[in-house]
Amino acid sequence: VGETLFVFSKNHEDIDSRQEDDSCVEHHKHLLCDRSIFYADLESCVDRNKKHKPLMSGIKRNGKEEKVEIFVGKDCIFDVSNCIKSIMFGVKKKATVHFHDLKCDFRGLMEPYVPVKRICEKDGQIYSVDIDDKTTLKDSLKVITAPLVKFSKMFKLKNKKQESIAHRCYTYENINHAQASIEDYKKLLSEKDRKKFDEIFKDENMKREFEHDGKHFNASKCYKFYLEQDVLTLAEGFEKFNDMFSKLTKVSAHDHLTISSLTYRCMLIRGAFNDVVPNKGTIRKFIQRAVRWHGSSEQ
C-alpha cells in the first residue's frame, strides 16, 4: 500500500510494476526533509500540426501573501524553472512543486524542456519527477483525486474556479494582444462552454475586467486570469486539505505521493498493523498464489 509499490527510472521507460526497488524507501526519506512548497500549472496553444505547445506557466509559493507569477511565451517552462531556482538560491531547503495531473503537464508540455534526474512512475502514471538535486515535481491529483473544478465546493474555497477557454484561439504571436471577436471566439467552444461563457459575462465586474463590449473582449487577459485562478485554486484547496488531515492525524500530505500511502502512514502510526507481520518479495508472491477462492462460480 505504501511507497514500496513504486519504482524509479532514470530514463523515460515504463517499468514493470511487479518489480520493487529499495530507492523507494530512500525517496520517502527524501520527501520527509524540510521543504519549500510551490503550486504550478501550465497552459498551451495548438500549433499547425495540432500539437500542444507550452504557452504560459504560473507558479505560486505557499503562503497567503504570495502572488502567482505568470510567464508567457515559448520560454515559459524555462522561466518558471528559473523562478524556482532564484527563490531557492542559497537556501538549504529543497523544493516540491505540485501540479494537478503531472502526467499531462510533464509528458505533454514540460519533458522536452527540463532535465530529468529521476521519475517515479507505475502503470503509465507519473507520481513525481526530480528535475535536479533540489527540486521535485509532484502530482497532487494522486493525493486529492478530484478535478480542480470541484475544489471550490469540496473545500468551501473563497476562490471560485470557472473556465470557458478556446485554446485554439491563442498563439505565440497573439497571446499578449489577443483582442478577440466574441462571435468568432465562441465558435471554438463546445455548446456547454458557450453557455458557461455567457453565464460568466453576465457579471458586470467580469465585463469591465476583460473589456467585454458585446462584440469584443480581451481574450489574452482572460486566459492569464484563468491560469492564475487554477494555481490559486490548487494552492488553497491542497493547503486546506493538508491542514485538516494533519490536525486529525499528525501526518502531512506533502510527505506522501498518494492518498493510499498517506492513509497507510496514518494507520501505521495509530497501531492498525500492530502484531501484523509484514512480507514482501518471494514470500508475498507465494502467499498470493496460495490463496484461492473456492466459492461457486455461479454466485
Side-chain angles (χ1 to χ4, degrees):
V1 182
E3 279 82 349
T4 52
L5 291 180
F6 298 96
V7 292
F8 295 88
S9 172
K10 292 183 179 179
N11 52 35
H12 301 285
E13 297 178 3
D14 188 29
I15 300 177
D16 190 332
S17 61
R18 291 173 297 176
Q19 293 178 345
E20 293 179 344
D21 194 325
D22 289 339
S23 63
C24 298
V25 178
E26 293 303 315
H27 185 73
H28 182 68
K29 294 177 182 177
H30 173 62
L31 289 174
L32 289 171
C33 67
D34 192 17
R35 308 180 70 81
S36 292
I37 305 298
F38 296 83
Y39 298 92
D41 192 23
L42 303 175
E43 297 293 352
S44 65
C45 61
V46 182
D47 65 14
R48 294 178 181 177
N49 297 318
K50 296 184 178 180
K51 291 184 178 180
H52 284 267
K53 297 290 184 181
L55 179 64
M56 295 192 295
S57 58
I59 188 165
K60 177 188 182 298
R61 192 175 185 179
N62 187 34
K64 293 182 179 180
E65 303 302 319
E66 298 290 339
K67 295 182 179 180
V68 179
E69 296 286 343
I70 302 290
F71 302 99
V72 180
K74 295 179 180 179
D75 294 328
C76 65
I77 302 295
F78 298 112
D79 291 336
V80 78
S81 178
N82 289 334
C83 176
I84 298 169
K85 290 178 181 178
S86 176
I87 292 173
M88 299 304 295
F89 181 78
V91 179
K92 291 183 179 181
K93 289 183 180 181
K94 295 185 177 182
T96 290
V97 187
H98 292 284
F99 286 84
H100 208 63
D101 195 354
L102 181 60
K103 179 181 179 180
C104 180
D105 285 330
F106 180 74
R107 290 285 193 224
L109 299 172
M110 296 182 70
E111 192 169 15
Y113 304 97
V114 296
V116 176
K117 184 177 181 183
R118 185 170 62 169
I119 299 177
C120 174
E121 60 184 344
K122 176 177 178 275
D123 297 336
Q125 292 295 315
I126 296 178
Y127 293 81
S128 69
V129 179
D130 290 346
I131 59 174
D132 55 42
D133 290 331
K134 292 189 67 173
T135 308
T136 298
L137 313 180
K138 285 180 62 180
D139 191 355
S140 54
L141 183 60
K142 300 298 187 295
V143 175
I144 305 176
T145 56
L148 278 180
V149 71
K150 293 187 177 181
F151 273 36
S152 296
K153 186 175 181 180
M154 284 174 62
F155 300 115
K156 298 180 180 178
L157 306 181
K158 294 179 181 178
N159 185 60
K160 306 297 182 184
K161 175 178 164 56
Q162 298 183 84
E163 185 171 323
S164 180
I165 298 295
H167 295 272
R168 289 179 293 165
C169 173
Y170 300 95
T171 66
Y172 290 124
E173 290 72 29
N174 72 14
I175 183 57
N176 285 316
H177 48 81
Q179 193 74 16
S181 160
I182 294 172
E183 183 180 357
D184 292 341
Y185 191 88
K186 289 174 68 175
K187 288 178 181 178
L188 300 174
L189 296 172
S190 66
E191 184 63 31
K192 181 180 178 181
D193 284 342
R194 285 175 200 162
K195 292 180 180 179
K196 175 62 71 175
F197 183 94
D198 291 337
E199 182 182 326
I200 290 170
F201 283 108
K202 285 179 181 178
D203 187 325
E204 292 298 324
N205 291 327
M206 295 295 282
K207 283 186 176 180
R208 284 192 296 271
E209 179 70 22
F210 301 112
E211 303 161 28
H212 185 296
D213 62 6
K215 292 185 177 181
H216 299 85
F217 80 113
N218 192 325
S220 173
K221 191 174 183 181
C222 190
Y223 204 8
K224 294 171 185 175
F225 172 78
Y226 285 120
L227 171 58
E228 180 182 36
Q229 292 302 297
D230 280 353
V231 177
L232 288 172
T233 299
L234 174 57
E236 190 179 346
F238 197 94
E239 286 307 313
K240 193 162 186 179
F241 169 82
N242 187 51
D243 287 345
M244 291 188 294
F245 200 91
S246 60
K247 285 177 182 177
L248 289 170
T249 66
K250 309 303 180 185
V251 178
S252 173
H254 293 303
D255 295 338
H256 297 272
L257 294 175
T258 67
I259 188 64
S260 297
S261 62
L262 185 59
T263 304
Y264 172 81
R265 185 63 53 180
C266 176
M267 292 173 68
L268 186 66
I269 291 172
R270 289 174 173 257
F273 303 116
N274 289 354
D275 300 322
V276 176
V277 179
N279 59 77
K280 62 180 182 178
T282 303
I283 296 176
R284 183 166 67 186
K285 289 179 181 178
F286 173 79
I287 294 173
Q288 288 172 340
R289 293 184 178 184
V291 175
R292 290 289 183 271
W293 168 248
H294 294 291
S296 172
S297 59
E298 296 179 359
Q299 293 179 345

